[in-house]
Amino acid sequence: MSGSANVGVHVDHARDEDPAKMAEFEAKINAGELLEPDDWMPQAYRQGMLKMAEHHANSEIIGALPEGEWITRAPSLRRKLALTAKVQDEVGHGQMLYRVSQDLGKSRDQMLRDLITGRTKYHNVFNYPAPTWGDIAMIQWLIDGAAIMNQKTLADGAYGPYVRTMKRINMEEAFHFKSGEDMVLTLMSGTKMQRQMGQEAFDRWWYPALMFFGPPDKPHAEQLPPMRWRMKTVTNDNLRRRFINRFAPAAIDLGLKIHVVKKDDNGMVIERKPDENLRLDETTGNWSFTQPDWDEFYRVIRGNGPCNAKRLALRRFSYEQGRWVRHAILRGNAGLPPAA
Amino acid sequence: MSNVREQSHPSNGDLTSPAEGDLKPYVVFTQLNRGDPHMYAGCVDAADQQMALQFAREHYGQDQKCVNIWVVPKEAVTATNYDTDLIWRHTDQTYRLARGYSKPVKDKWRKLRRAEDLKEYEKDDLKETF
Amino acid sequence: MITLPDNLKRPFADLLLAVADDKLMLGHRNSDWTGLAPILEEDIAFSSLAQDEMAHAQALYQLIAGLIGTSADALAFGRKSEAFRCAAIVEAPDEFDWATAICRQFFCDHFDRLRLRRLARSSDKPVADLANRLAAEEQIHVEHVDSWMQRLGRGTDESRQRMQKALDRLAAIAPSLFEPIEHEHELVAADVYPRAETDMFETWRNELEQIANDSSLKLDLHPPSPQTIGGRRGKHTEHLPPLLDEMCEVYRLEPNAAW
């Protein structure tokens, strides 16, 4: 599914760069050309791309965890196969994005270690719990749906290796999203208990999905380096609007109610009421809605979300548990015997 | 094993083990049908070529039907530089391309032959190179 | 092609269930590694193998469902523990120990390749055709797991010790794979499950010993006692019921619902 780097890619203005090279670089970007790793680029761009690709890679492999919990509990053979393949894809996306980052100069091992020890971040959305099968359906519909919207725009970016990886990832996301739609449709046209499971999961995931695109835009977002240099191509608020316009009416047609919710520390809904701001503005074609709780958003980013500790603990467990295996093939006499 | 997934205890602070370093990168090329060219698919990190091939088969060989895979150590790839290595020449190259001749040839034929005869004759041209 | 006599239908279903149940449990255990394996590339590869096992189980359940009149999902999720025909080794948890996961796969993949090759000669054509296709995929698994045995057996002192420990522990229950199902001899006599060309246990032991030797590992395997009654007759280890409780948790919420 993937995060992507809407959260906090701060790129410093490149003050000490050669102005002639800078002009050439920006001209290439404006002409819509793709940049390749060996091309000249300002240090700030290289660092910014590394940070963005690394954050995205981290998000993929952490994103494999909440859904991974449900592989062993998927309720049919087809769903079991599909969910395994889906989580496997996340790992594959992580692998490809770490590769993009490795080519920008940081070792994968160091990136994994920085992730586990909290030096680098991953997407906020994976710090929420998935307590039922309904959550798996909603994650694949809403969060993968949001990821596709975002990644489609990232595929219009300027950094060649990242853009090519996005295009490849998006092909696989299409499967994730379709299978998510299939699960949500099955659930919402199922028994009373299933529909209730779907509604409760929707209540847990609607706001994380809206927050998925990152905090409200800074003034003049288009002129700041991430967009000026086409590291991203559409602002957070514009992506969020596209998302609502597509998903709010679809949710209503599925029989889902869109609620403003209050959650406890474990991410479970303790209060809900219909979103009274939700309506379609016929003249603009845009839906209005109640904004997410941005205080919660920053609280979770700072590490105090319902599942931050659990996700990192499991990644650390996996890293430490696998150390002897990597050690054996990196340092040991681990070659295969000569062919007979 | 959901118990392990649920119960790994949060532990903070630095890792006690030293940094490990990475395996070696290999470039992967996949062929989708016999006879097609092998195309760049991506990279895998592995200890050696056999392991790289094993990984590539499952990573890049399962997205669509695939019949053959190459892996090449990344360090074995030497490339030109976009900025400094000119490959395609700046001077007029149309003298070595079919499309450099299509219009003058057509004009000259038209003076000699009827349109329908010319059309019949042009049917056997390799049009995609124009 | 022959039509299966009525008295062989149940034993034949049991035999195919043994194959499918082994694969489902193994695939179930291995799929849990997705996202947590020691190297990202191997995570992807191992997950593919797990998907193969589950896809094989699904294809077999579909055949069995046709034979006894039910559905593949009902066979996978709707049976009680004693109705399963899987062997003790596939029930063994690995607690995310890579050595255990690889050794478990090692015993099972080599066995499955032999069993599928045997079924590929069955007088029942649909089963023979399916087994033939599955055996070709099993070959990929055997090569994959053998290379891990060799790399880790010959890796470091630590990796060799860990592999040896896991190998020893699982070698005690691995021969459970060979326990016959009820009335197996009748299926053999009717050529539905043709006799192996060479003694299957010996062939298996020789294959495994050779790889173990190449891997600087010791392997000691003994044929199962003919008196043992285990998974093939529905008598399972203590690990199966909790596995099923987890696997069927959602299905059991509303067994007649579509999910």
Side-chain angles (χ1 to χ4, degrees), chain A residues 36 39 95-96 99 102-103 107-109 113 117 119 168 172 310 313 316 319-320 323 326 331 336, chain B residues 4-6 8 10-11 13-15 17-22 25 43-45 50 59-60 63 74 82:
Chain A
E36 297 302 332
D39 289 345
Q95 188 274 346
M96 290 188 281
R99 192 62 249 169
Q102 284 167 278
D103 289 341
S107 87
R108 186 196 295 181
D109 181 50
R113 296 170 73 89
T117 51
R119 286 182 177 81
R168 201 192 154 81
E172 294 178 354
K310 181 182 171 186
R316 179 186 281 248
Y319 182 82
E320 291 183 333
R323 186 191 305 132
R326 293 187 299 274
R331 312 241 188 283
L336 294 179
Chain B
V4 176
R5 284 184 180 267
E6 287 301 320
S8 36
S11 48
D14 269 335
L15 293 155
S17 61
E20 296 174 5
D22 289 354
C43 276
V44 290
D45 286 15
Q50 261 178 295
H59 191 354
Y60 296 103
D63 302 330
K74 193 158 188 280
Y82 286 100

Side-chain angles (χ1 to χ4, degrees), chain C residues 1 11 27 126 132 213 257:
Chain C
M1 186 170 157
N132 207 16
N213 285 341

Side-chain angles (χ1 to χ4, degrees), chain A residues 1-2 60 78 82 85-86 89-90 93 139-152 165-183 246-247, chain B residues 63:
Chain A
M1 135 179 21
S2 109
E60 295 284 357
R78 189 175 168 82
K86 199 256 178 181
D89 282 349
E90 317 292 5
H93 299 171
I139 288 174
Q140 278 198 38
W141 185 48
L142 295 175
I143 307 300
D144 285 274
I148 289 180
M149 282 193 161
N150 184 38
Q151 286 172 175
K152 260 185 1 201
T165 306
M166 280 312 107
K167 288 184 175 158
R168 201 192 154 81
I169 286 179
N170 285 342
M171 288 192 312
E172 294 178 354
E173 293 288 347
F175 141 55
H176 303 172
F177 180 66
K178 278 291 150 198
S179 113
E181 279 182 294
D182 190 42
M183 283 192 279
R246 182 175 188 207
F247 283 86
Chain B
D63 302 330

Side-chain angles (χ1 to χ4, degrees), chain A residues 282-293:
Chain A
E282 300 280 357
T283 53
T284 61
N286 289 325
W287 285 72
S288 58
F289 58 97
T290 301
Q291 282 283 326
D293 175 356

Side-chain angles (χ1 to χ4, degrees), chain B residues 71-92:
Chain B
V71 291
V72 180
K74 193 158 188 280
E75 63 186 15
V77 177
T78 310
T80 54
N81 180 293
Y82 286 100
D83 296 327
T84 57
D85 295 332
L86 180 70
I87 303 172
W88 190 249
R89 306 295 189 275
H90 288 319
T91 50
D92 179 13

Side-chain angles (χ1 to χ4, degrees), chain A residues 9 14 59 71-72 90 93 116 119 136 160 175 196 231 233 257 318:
Chain A
V9 176
S59 304
I71 289 176
T72 53
E90 317 292 5
H93 299 171
I116 295 166
R119 286 182 177 81
I136 297 308
F175 141 55
Q196 191 182 336
M231 296 166 76
T233 60
K257 301 220 168 22
S318 160

